[in-house]
Amino acid sequence: MAESVRRLPARRVDRLLVLGDGLRAEMRSVTAEFSVPVAYAFGLTDREGDSCYVPSRMAGRLTGEHLLSLGRRRIAHITGEAADSAATGREQGLPAALAEAGLPPATGTLRDDWSRARGAAACRRLIGSGARFDAVFCGNDQLALGAESVLRESGRRVPDDVALVGVDNWEYVIGGPSTRHLTTVDTGLAALGAAAAAQVADGRDAPGTHAHPCTLVVGATTAGPGPEG
C-alpha cells in the first residue's frame, strides 16, 4: 500500500477514502501525508485522531437482550481469539446484559478462529464440557453455522432446545433475504461505508472513531417456544 499512497499526491487527489479489512489489526495511517480530507472505513489506524468508521460494539448486548426476552437463561459464547479486537468488541455487552438479569454465562467463552470448522469444534467442546446451555451466541455467522451442524448432530433441536445467534448477516450478502435462516447481528457495513464516503465527498474533517449502529435480524434459529425448566 505504501507505494500506492506515494503516487496519489501526484494525481492531485482531493479526497481519500481508505477501506480496511476488519479490526484484527490497526491500519497504518496515511493522513499526515495528505492535505485533503481522509477517512477510513471498517478499520482503525495507528494514529490518534484519524477519522475511522467502524461497527458499533453493541452486538453482544443486542443478542443478550434478545435471547433473554425469549426466556433463555443459560447463554454460551463462541468467538474469535482474544487478541482479535473484532471478537472482543462483539462480545462486549453480553456479560452486562446477563448480569443485569442476575445471570452468569453458561460457561467460559470458547475462542478459536472464525471458520465454520472451528465453530463446529468449539461447539463439540461446549457439549463435551457438560455445561447446561439453552442458547449460543457466536461471534460471526460462520462460527454459528458450524455450531448449528454439531447441535443438530447431537440431537438438539434449533431453536427449540438451543437458540443460536451469529454476527454479519452473511447469508443475506451471499444470497439475499430468501436464503437467510440464522438470527444474526447486521453490522451495517454498507451504511458505514456510505457515511465515510459522504464525509470525504463533502470535504469535511471528522476526527475520531465513529461507531455505526448495528441491528438484530431475527431468523429461524431463535424462533420457537424454548426449552422448559
Side-chain angles (χ1 to χ4, degrees), residues 60-150:
R61 176 166 285 279
L62 286 174
T63 297
E65 291 174 348
H66 175 61
L67 292 172
L68 290 169
S69 75
L70 299 175
R72 309 297 170 138
R73 294 295 180 266
R74 296 182 291 273
I75 302 171
H77 185 43
I78 297 173
T79 194
E81 298 175 352
D84 190 325
S85 62
T88 56
R90 291 176 178 189
E91 181 179 7
Q92 287 181 4
L94 177 62
L98 292 173
E100 289 169 9
L103 298 169
T107 186
T109 299
L110 290 90
R111 300 187 182 278
D112 214 310
D113 69 28
W114 291 109
S115 70
R116 186 178 303 199
R118 303 317 301 167
C123 191
R124 290 190 184 98
R125 296 201 305 272
L126 173 60
I127 292 171
S129 73
R132 297 179 66 201
F133 61 97
D134 58 16
V136 182
F137 169 44
C138 294
N140 77 353
D141 289 344
Q142 294 301 315
L143 289 172
L145 291 169
E148 182 183 26
S149 67
V150 171

Side-chain angles (χ1 to χ4, degrees), residues 170-196:
W170 196 243
E171 288 180 317
Y172 177 81
V173 174
I174 294 298
S178 63
T179 68
R180 182 197 293 122
H181 83 289
L182 279 175
T183 292
T184 185
V185 178
D186 190 323
T187 56
L189 295 185
L192 180 155

Side-chain angles (χ1 to χ4, degrees), residues 34 36 66 80 95 134 144 205 210:
F34 293 87
V36 301
H66 175 61
D134 58 16
D205 288 315
H210 306 275

Side-chain angles (χ1 to χ4, degrees), residues 1-8 28 30 33:
M1 185 178 80
E3 180 61 28
S4 298
V5 168
R6 283 193 291 270
R7 294 174 181 172
L8 288 177
R28 184 178 73 83
V30 297
E33 301 177 38

